[in-house]
Amino acid sequence: VEAQAVSAVVEALYLHLKNDYHLRYEYEVRHNPVTETQVIRLPQHIEREGRGTCVDLVLLFLGCLANAKVKPVYVQLLLKNAKGELIAGHALAGAWLVEPYKKGPVLLSLDSARQYVNRGQLLLLDCTGFVEGYPSRQHKLSFDEAVDEAKRLLEEVEVQFVVDIRRAQEKGHDR
């Protein structure tokens, strides 16, 4: 029952951003490939400018989850071309549906993240689904499509890291 209630909150937040805001995806033109840094927009800037990168959108969504008392998880992916060369990073948002452990690591292994997703304890979604203008996509994604896309990416691309945000805060990494 708890997992269904949390999933309903996550879906409601997703649909609110998808239906009530007219946000556009924007590839980060200010990304510095040498230092691997990019400018992160704060939620008020995303709303005012009506745009954001995948990282901006994920951080916006994770903030919404935290405000709703849902435990957020951040996933950073590395997208590569057919030659194995890094072409871009991509971010996913996650929410704990069922708390898997009382005390655990801030950084989750890829195997454990996949296991939590497969067991229905961790829900991941692609936040570019609630915006317009994502490359090679003609429309916004339904909630289920955004979840399916995140699952596909988790299985098919390289995961750089997975951060349990609440664990990081508990351990004093929120400053």
Side-chain angles (χ1 to χ4, degrees), residues 124-126 142-153:
L124 296 181
L125 57 93
D126 187 343
S142 70
F143 177 73
D144 290 336
E145 289 171 326
V147 169
D148 289 344
E149 178 64 6
K151 285 180 183 176
R152 183 190 70 75
L153 289 168

Side-chain angles (χ1 to χ4, degrees), residues 63-97:
C64 292
L65 292 176
N67 281 333
K69 307 297 185 223
V70 175
K71 300 167 185 89
V73 175
Y74 179 94
V75 180
Q76 183 66 43
L77 306 173
L78 295 174
L79 304 179
K80 296 183 178 185
N81 64 18
K83 296 178 185 176
E85 301 165 330
L86 177 67
I87 54 172
H90 190 63
L92 302 174
W96 287 113
L97 300 180

Side-chain angles (χ1 to χ4, degrees), residues 92-112:
L92 302 174
W96 287 113
L97 300 180
V98 177
E99 188 169 0
Y101 47 78
K102 292 294 179 194
K103 294 187 179 193
V106 171
L107 293 173
L108 301 173
S109 71
L110 173 58
D111 287 339
S112 64

Side-chain angles (χ1 to χ4, degrees), residues 30-71:
R30 295 171 287 188
H31 175 259
N32 184 330
V34 174
T35 62
E36 291 298 320
T37 58
Q38 79 179 54
V39 174
I40 305 294
R41 290 176 185 84
L42 296 173
Q44 62 267 29
H45 296 138
I46 296 169
E47 182 181 18
R48 183 175 58 239
E49 296 173 15
R51 62 191 168 132
T53 65
C54 60
V55 173
D56 299 332
L57 300 169
V58 165
L59 294 175
L60 169 66
F61 196 77
L62 295 179
C64 292
L65 292 176
N67 281 333
K69 307 297 185 223
V70 175
K71 300 167 185 89

